[in-house]
Coordinates of all heavy atoms in Angstrom, one line a residue:
Chain A
R177 N -45.7 49.4 -7.0 CA -46.4 50.5 -7.6 C -47.0 51.4 -6.6 O -47.0 52.6 -6.7 CB -47.4 49.9 -8.6 CG -47.8 51.0 -9.6 CD -48.8 50.4 -10.6 NE -48.6 49.1 -10.9 CZ -49.6 48.2 -11.2 NH1 -50.8 48.6 -11.2 NH2 -49.3 47.0 -11.5
L181 N -46.0 55.5 -6.1 CA -47.0 56.6 -6.2 C -47.1 57.2 -4.8 O -47.2 58.5 -4.7 CB -48.4 56.0 -6.6 CG -48.5 55.7 -8.1 CD1 -49.8 55.0 -8.3 CD2 -48.3 56.9 -8.9
L188 N -44.5 65.5 -2.4 CA -45.2 66.7 -2.7 C -45.9 67.3 -1.5 O -46.0 68.6 -1.4 CB -46.2 66.5 -3.9 CG -45.4 66.2 -5.2 CD1 -46.4 65.6 -6.2 CD2 -44.8 67.5 -5.7
A217 N -52.8 82.3 -4.4 CA -52.2 81.3 -5.3 C -51.4 80.3 -4.4 O -51.4 79.1 -4.6 CB -51.3 82.0 -6.3
L224 N -53.5 72.1 -2.2 CA -53.6 70.9 -3.0 C -52.4 69.9 -2.8 O -52.6 68.7 -2.7 CB -53.7 71.2 -4.5 CG -55.1 71.5 -5.0 CD1 -55.1 71.8 -6.4 CD2 -56.0 70.2 -4.7
G241 N -54.2 54.1 -9.8 CA -53.7 53.0 -10.6 C -53.1 51.8 -9.8 O -52.9 50.8 -10.3
T308 N -67.3 51.5 -12.2 CA -67.2 50.9 -13.5 C -66.2 49.8 -13.6 O -66.3 48.8 -14.2 CB -67.0 52.0 -14.6 OG1 -67.8 53.1 -14.3 CG2 -67.2 51.4 -15.9
F311 N -67.2 46.5 -12.2 CA -68.3 45.9 -12.8 C -67.9 44.5 -13.4 O -68.6 43.5 -13.3 CB -68.9 46.8 -13.8 CG -70.2 46.3 -14.4 CD1 -71.3 46.3 -13.7 CD2 -70.2 45.9 -15.7 CE1 -72.5 45.8 -14.2 CE2 -71.4 45.5 -16.3 CZ -72.6 45.4 -15.5
R312 N -66.8 44.5 -14.2 CA -66.5 43.3 -14.9 C -65.4 42.5 -14.2 O -65.0 41.5 -14.7 CB -66.0 43.7 -16.3 CG -67.1 44.0 -17.3 CD -67.9 42.8 -17.6 NE -67.3 42.0 -18.6 CZ -67.8 40.9 -19.1 NH1 -69.0 40.5 -18.7 NH2 -67.2 40.2 -20.0
R318 N -60.1 42.3 -5.9 CA -60.0 43.6 -6.7 C -61.3 44.2 -6.8 O -61.4 45.5 -6.8 CB -59.4 43.2 -8.1 CG -58.0 42.8 -8.0 CD -57.4 42.4 -9.3 NE -57.1 43.6 -10.1 CZ -56.4 43.5 -11.3 NH1 -56.0 42.3 -11.7 NH2 -56.2 44.6 -12.0
R344 N -72.5 64.7 8.3 CA -73.1 63.6 9.0 C -73.1 62.4 8.2 O -72.9 61.3 8.6 CB -74.5 64.0 9.4 CG -74.6 64.9 10.6 CD -76.1 65.2 10.8 NE -76.7 64.0 11.3 CZ -77.1 63.9 12.6 NH1 -76.8 64.8 13.5 NH2 -77.7 62.7 13.0
R384 N -74.2 27.3 -1.1 CA -75.1 26.1 -0.9 C -74.4 25.2 0.1 O -75.1 24.5 0.9 CB -75.2 25.3 -2.2 CG -75.9 26.1 -3.3 CD -77.4 25.8 -3.3 NE -78.1 26.8 -3.9 CZ -79.4 26.8 -4.1 NH1 -80.1 25.8 -3.7 NH2 -80.0 27.8 -4.7
I403 N -78.9 49.8 1.1 CA -80.3 49.3 1.1 C -80.8 49.3 2.6 O -80.1 49.0 3.5 CB -80.2 47.8 0.6 CG1 -80.1 47.9 -0.9 CG2 -81.5 47.1 0.9 CD1 -80.2 46.6 -1.6
P404 N -82.1 49.7 2.7 CA -82.6 49.9 4.1 C -82.6 48.5 4.8 O -82.6 47.5 4.2 CB -84.0 50.3 3.9 CG -84.1 50.8 2.5 CD -83.1 50.1 1.7
F409 N -77.6 52.7 4.4 CA -78.7 53.4 3.8 C -78.7 54.9 4.3 O -78.9 55.8 3.6 CB -80.0 52.7 4.2 CG -81.2 53.5 3.8 CD1 -81.6 53.7 2.5 CD2 -82.1 54.0 4.8 CE1 -82.7 54.3 2.1 CE2 -83.2 54.6 4.4 CZ -83.6 54.8 3.1
W410 N -78.6 55.0 5.7 CA -78.7 56.4 6.2 C -77.6 57.3 5.8 O -77.9 58.5 5.5 CB -78.7 56.2 7.8 CG -79.8 55.3 8.2 CD1 -79.6 54.0 8.7 CD2 -81.2 55.5 8.2 NE1 -80.8 53.5 9.0 CE2 -81.8 54.3 8.7 CE3 -82.0 56.6 7.8 CZ2 -83.2 54.2 8.8 CZ3 -83.4 56.4 7.9 CH2 -83.9 55.3 8.4
L413 N -78.4 58.3 2.3 CA -79.5 59.2 2.2 C -79.1 60.7 2.6 O -79.5 61.6 1.9 CB -80.5 58.7 3.2 CG -82.0 59.1 3.0 CD1 -82.5 58.4 1.8 CD2 -82.8 58.6 4.2
R417 N -79.1 63.9 0.0 CA -80.0 65.0 0.4 C -79.1 66.3 0.5 O -79.5 67.3 -0.1 CB -80.5 64.7 1.8 CG -81.2 65.8 2.5 CD -81.4 65.4 3.9 NE -82.3 66.3 4.6 CZ -82.9 66.0 5.7 NH1 -82.7 64.9 6.2 NH2 -83.6 66.9 6.3
I420 N -78.2 67.4 -3.2 CA -79.3 68.1 -3.9 C -79.6 69.4 -3.3 O -79.9 70.4 -4.0 CB -80.5 67.2 -3.9 CG1 -80.2 65.9 -4.8 CG2 -81.7 67.9 -4.5 CD1 -81.4 65.1 -5.0
L434 N -75.8 58.2 -7.9 CA -76.9 57.4 -8.3 C -76.6 56.4 -9.4 O -77.0 55.2 -9.3 CB -78.1 58.3 -8.8 CG -78.7 59.2 -7.7 CD1 -79.8 60.1 -8.3 CD2 -79.3 58.3 -6.6
V438 N -76.6 52.1 -9.0 CA -77.2 51.1 -9.9 C -76.1 50.1 -10.3 O -76.3 48.8 -10.2 CB -77.7 51.7 -11.2 CG1 -78.2 50.7 -12.1 CG2 -78.9 52.7 -10.9
V439 N -74.9 50.6 -10.7 CA -73.8 49.7 -11.1 C -73.4 48.8 -10.0 O -73.3 47.6 -10.2 CB -72.6 50.5 -11.6 CG1 -71.5 49.6 -11.9 CG2 -73.0 51.3 -12.8
M445 N -74.9 42.0 -6.7 CA -75.9 40.9 -6.8 C -75.5 39.8 -7.7 O -75.8 38.6 -7.5 CB -77.2 41.5 -7.2 CG -77.9 42.3 -6.1 SD -78.2 41.2 -4.7 CE -78.0 42.4 -3.4
K446 N -74.7 40.1 -8.7 CA -74.1 39.0 -9.6 C -73.3 38.1 -8.7 O -73.4 36.9 -8.8 CB -73.3 39.6 -10.7 CG -74.0 39.9 -12.0 CD -73.1 39.9 -13.1 CE -72.4 41.2 -13.3 NZ -71.7 41.4 -14.6
H449 N -75.3 36.2 -6.2 CA -76.1 35.1 -6.8 C -75.1 33.9 -7.2 O -75.5 32.8 -7.1 CB -76.8 35.6 -8.1 CG -77.6 34.5 -8.7 ND1 -77.2 33.7 -9.7 CD2 -78.8 34.0 -8.4 CE1 -78.1 32.8 -10.0 NE2 -79.1 33.0 -9.2
E453 N -75.7 30.0 -6.3 CA -76.2 29.3 -7.4 C -76.2 27.8 -7.2 O -75.3 27.3 -6.6 CB -75.4 29.6 -8.6 CG -76.0 29.3 -9.9 CD -75.2 29.9 -11.0 OE1 -75.0 31.1 -11.1 OE2 -74.6 29.1 -11.8
A454 N -77.3 27.2 -7.6 CA -77.3 25.7 -7.4 C -76.4 25.2 -8.5 O -76.5 25.5 -9.7 CB -78.7 25.2 -7.7
V490 N -81.0 49.5 11.7 CA -82.3 49.5 12.2 C -82.5 50.6 13.2 O -83.5 51.2 13.4 CB -82.7 48.1 12.8 CG1 -84.0 48.2 13.4 CG2 -82.7 47.1 11.7
P492 N -80.4 53.7 13.7 CA -79.3 54.6 13.5 C -79.2 55.7 14.5 O -78.1 56.3 14.7 CB -79.7 55.2 12.1 CG -81.2 55.1 12.1 CD -81.6 53.9 12.8
G493 N -80.2 55.8 15.3 CA -80.1 56.9 16.4 C -79.0 56.6 17.4 O -78.7 57.4 18.2
D496 N -76.2 58.8 17.1 CA -76.6 60.2 16.8 C -75.8 61.2 17.6 O -75.3 62.2 17.1 CB -78.1 60.4 16.9 CG -78.6 61.6 16.3 OD1 -78.1 61.9 15.2 OD2 -79.4 62.3 16.9
Chain B
L61 N -86.9 56.3 14.7 CA -85.7 55.5 14.5 C -84.5 56.2 14.9 O -83.4 55.9 14.5 CB -85.6 55.1 13.0 CG -86.7 54.2 12.5 CD1 -86.6 54.1 11.0 CD2 -86.5 52.8 13.1
G62 N -84.6 57.2 15.8 CA -83.4 58.0 16.2 C -83.1 59.1 15.2 O -83.2 60.2 15.5
L63 N -82.6 58.7 14.0 CA -82.2 59.7 13.1 C -83.4 60.4 12.5 O -83.3 61.6 12.1 CB -81.3 59.1 12.0 CG -79.8 59.0 12.2 CD1 -79.2 58.7 10.9 CD2 -79.3 60.3 12.7
F64 N -84.5 59.7 12.3 CA -85.6 60.4 11.8 C -86.8 59.6 12.2 O -86.7 58.4 12.7 CB -85.5 60.6 10.3 CG -86.3 59.6 9.5 CD1 -87.5 60.0 8.9 CD2 -85.9 58.3 9.4 CE1 -88.2 59.1 8.2 CE2 -86.6 57.4 8.6 CZ -87.8 57.8 8.0
L128 N -89.7 55.2 0.8 CA -88.4 54.7 0.1 C -87.9 53.5 0.8 O -87.5 52.5 0.1 CB -87.4 55.8 0.2 CG -86.0 55.5 -0.3 CD1 -86.1 55.4 -1.8 CD2 -85.0 56.6 0.1
V129 N -88.0 53.4 2.1 CA -87.5 52.3 2.9 C -88.3 51.0 2.4 O -87.7 50.0 2.1 CB -87.5 52.5 4.4 CG1 -87.2 51.2 5.1 CG2 -86.5 53.5 4.8
E132 N -87.5 50.0 -1.2 CA -86.2 49.3 -1.4 C -86.3 47.9 -0.8 O -85.7 47.0 -1.4 CB -85.1 50.1 -0.7 CG -84.8 51.4 -1.3 CD -83.3 51.6 -1.7 OE1 -82.8 50.6 -2.3 OE2 -82.8 52.6 -1.3
W136 N -85.3 44.4 -3.0 CA -84.3 43.4 -2.8 C -84.9 42.0 -2.4 O -84.4 41.0 -2.9 CB -83.1 43.8 -1.9 CG -83.3 44.0 -0.5 CD1 -83.5 45.2 0.2 CD2 -83.3 43.0 0.6 NE1 -83.6 45.0 1.5 CE2 -83.5 43.7 1.8 CE3 -83.2 41.6 0.6 CZ2 -83.5 43.0 3.0 CZ3 -83.2 40.9 1.8 CH2 -83.4 41.6 3.0
F139 N -86.1 40.5 -5.7 CA -85.0 40.1 -6.5 C -84.6 38.7 -6.1 O -84.4 37.8 -6.9 CB -83.8 41.0 -6.4 CG -82.6 40.5 -6.9 CD1 -82.4 40.2 -8.3 CD2 -81.6 40.1 -6.1 CE1 -81.2 39.6 -8.8 CE2 -80.4 39.5 -6.5 CZ -80.2 39.3 -7.9
S143 N -84.8 35.3 -8.4 CA -83.6 34.6 -8.9 C -83.4 33.3 -8.2 O -82.6 32.5 -8.7 CB -82.4 35.4 -8.9 OG -82.4 36.2 -7.8
G145 N -81.7 31.2 -6.9 CA -80.6 30.3 -7.0 C -80.4 29.6 -8.3 O -79.5 28.8 -8.4
K146 N -81.2 29.9 -9.3 CA -80.9 29.2 -10.6 C -80.3 30.2 -11.6 O -80.7 31.4 -11.6 CB -82.2 28.7 -11.1 CG -82.9 27.8 -10.2 CD -83.8 26.8 -10.9 CE -84.5 25.8 -10.0 NZ -85.1 26.3 -8.8
E147 N -79.4 29.7 -12.4 CA -78.7 30.6 -13.3 C -79.7 31.4 -14.2 O -79.6 32.6 -14.4 CB -77.7 29.8 -14.1 CG -77.1 30.5 -15.3 CD -76.2 31.7 -14.8 OE1 -75.7 31.6 -13.7 OE2 -76.1 32.7 -15.6
F150 N -81.6 33.8 -12.5 CA -80.8 35.0 -12.2 C -80.7 36.0 -13.3 O -80.8 37.2 -13.1 CB -79.3 34.6 -11.8 CG -78.4 35.7 -11.7 CD1 -78.5 36.6 -10.6 CD2 -77.5 36.0 -12.7 CE1 -77.7 37.7 -10.5 CE2 -76.7 37.1 -12.6 CZ -76.8 37.9 -11.5
F157 N -83.8 43.6 -11.4 CA -83.2 44.4 -10.3 C -82.5 45.6 -10.9 O -82.6 46.7 -10.2 CB -82.2 43.5 -9.6 CG -81.7 44.1 -8.3 CD1 -82.6 44.3 -7.3 CD2 -80.4 44.3 -8.1 CE1 -82.2 44.8 -6.1 CE2 -80.0 44.8 -6.8 CZ -80.9 45.1 -5.9
L161 N -83.4 49.3 -9.7 CA -82.4 50.2 -9.2 C -82.5 51.6 -9.9 O -82.3 52.6 -9.2 CB -81.0 49.6 -9.3 CG -80.6 48.6 -8.3 CD1 -79.2 48.1 -8.6 CD2 -80.6 49.2 -6.9
A165 N -83.1 55.0 -8.0 CA -82.2 56.2 -8.1 C -83.0 57.4 -8.5 O -82.9 58.5 -7.9 CB -81.1 55.9 -9.2
A169 N -83.6 60.8 -6.2 CA -83.4 62.2 -6.7 C -84.7 63.0 -6.6 O -84.7 64.2 -6.2 CB -83.0 62.2 -8.2
F172 N -85.6 64.1 -2.8 CA -84.8 65.2 -2.3 C -85.1 66.5 -3.1 O -85.0 67.6 -2.5 CB -83.3 64.8 -2.2 CG -83.1 63.8 -1.1 CD1 -82.6 62.6 -1.5 CD2 -83.4 64.1 0.2 CE1 -82.4 61.6 -0.5 CE2 -83.2 63.2 1.2 CZ -82.7 61.9 0.8
F598 N -71.4 49.2 -21.6 CA -70.9 49.5 -20.2 C -69.9 48.4 -19.8 O -68.8 48.8 -19.2 CB -72.1 49.5 -19.3 CG -71.7 50.1 -17.9 CD1 -71.6 51.4 -17.8 CD2 -71.5 49.3 -16.9 CE1 -71.2 52.0 -16.6 CE2 -71.1 49.8 -15.6 CZ -71.0 51.1 -15.5
A599 N -70.1 47.2 -20.1 CA -69.2 46.1 -19.7 C -67.9 46.3 -20.4 O -66.8 46.1 -19.8 CB -69.8 44.7 -20.1
S602 N -66.1 49.0 -18.8 CA -65.5 48.6 -17.5 C -64.2 47.8 -17.7 O -63.3 48.0 -17.0 CB -66.6 47.7 -16.8 OG -66.0 46.9 -15.8
R603 N -64.3 46.9 -18.7 CA -63.1 46.1 -18.9 C -61.9 47.0 -19.2 O -60.8 46.8 -18.7 CB -63.3 45.1 -20.0 CG -63.3 43.7 -19.6 CD -63.2 42.8 -20.8 NE -64.2 43.1 -21.7 CZ -65.3 42.4 -22.0 NH1 -65.4 41.3 -21.4 NH2 -66.1 42.8 -22.9
T609 N -56.3 51.0 -15.9 CA -55.8 51.5 -14.6 C -54.9 50.5 -14.0 O -54.1 50.8 -13.1 CB -56.9 51.8 -13.6 OG1 -57.7 50.7 -13.4 CG2 -57.8 53.0 -14.0
A610 N -54.9 49.3 -14.4 CA -54.1 48.3 -13.8 C -52.7 48.3 -14.5 O -51.7 47.7 -13.9 CB -54.7 46.9 -13.9
K612 N -49.1 49.3 -15.6 CA -48.2 50.1 -14.7 C -47.9 51.5 -15.3 O -48.1 52.4 -14.6 CB -46.9 49.3 -14.6 CG -47.0 48.0 -13.8 CD -45.7 47.4 -13.6 CE -45.4 46.5 -14.7 NZ -45.4 45.1 -14.4
A615 N -50.7 54.2 -15.3 CA -51.2 54.6 -14.0 C -50.2 55.6 -13.4 O -50.6 56.7 -13.0 CB -51.3 53.4 -13.1
A619 N -50.8 59.7 -12.8 CA -50.7 60.4 -11.5 C -49.6 61.5 -11.6 O -49.9 62.6 -11.2 CB -50.2 59.4 -10.5
V623 N -50.2 65.5 -11.1 CA -49.5 66.4 -10.2 C -48.9 67.6 -10.9 O -49.0 68.7 -10.4 CB -48.3 65.5 -9.6 CG1 -47.3 66.4 -8.9 CG2 -48.9 64.5 -8.6
I626 N -51.5 70.1 -11.5 CA -51.8 70.9 -10.3 C -50.8 71.9 -10.0 O -51.1 73.1 -9.7 CB -51.9 69.9 -9.1 CG1 -53.2 69.0 -9.3 CG2 -52.0 70.7 -7.8 CD1 -53.3 68.0 -8.2
L633 N -52.4 80.3 -11.3 CA -53.6 81.0 -10.8 C -53.3 82.1 -9.8 O -52.7 81.9 -8.9 CB -54.6 80.0 -10.2 CG -55.3 79.1 -11.2 CD1 -56.1 78.1 -10.5 CD2 -56.2 80.0 -12.0

Side-chain angles (χ1 to χ4, degrees):
Chain A
R177 198 178 324 150
L181 286 177
L188 291 165
L224 270 183
T308 312
F311 187 70
R312 281 292 279 186
R318 292 175 78 168
R344 284 178 68 106
R384 294 265 159 177
I403 285 190
F409 175 67
W410 304 106
L413 204 66
R417 167 192 195 164
I420 293 188
L434 289 178
V438 177
V439 173
M445 284 301 143
K446 266 203 280 193
H449 184 265
E453 202 171 293
V490 174
D496 195 39
Chain B
L61 294 170
L63 271 192
F64 103 103
L128 178 69
V129 171
E132 293 233 50
W136 67 260
F139 163 71
S143 39
K146 303 204 175 49
E147 171 63 28
F150 167 73
F157 193 59
L161 280 175
F172 290 115
F598 192 77
S602 158
R603 244 195 311 251
T609 55
K612 288 186 274 251
V623 167
I626 290 175
L633 283 175

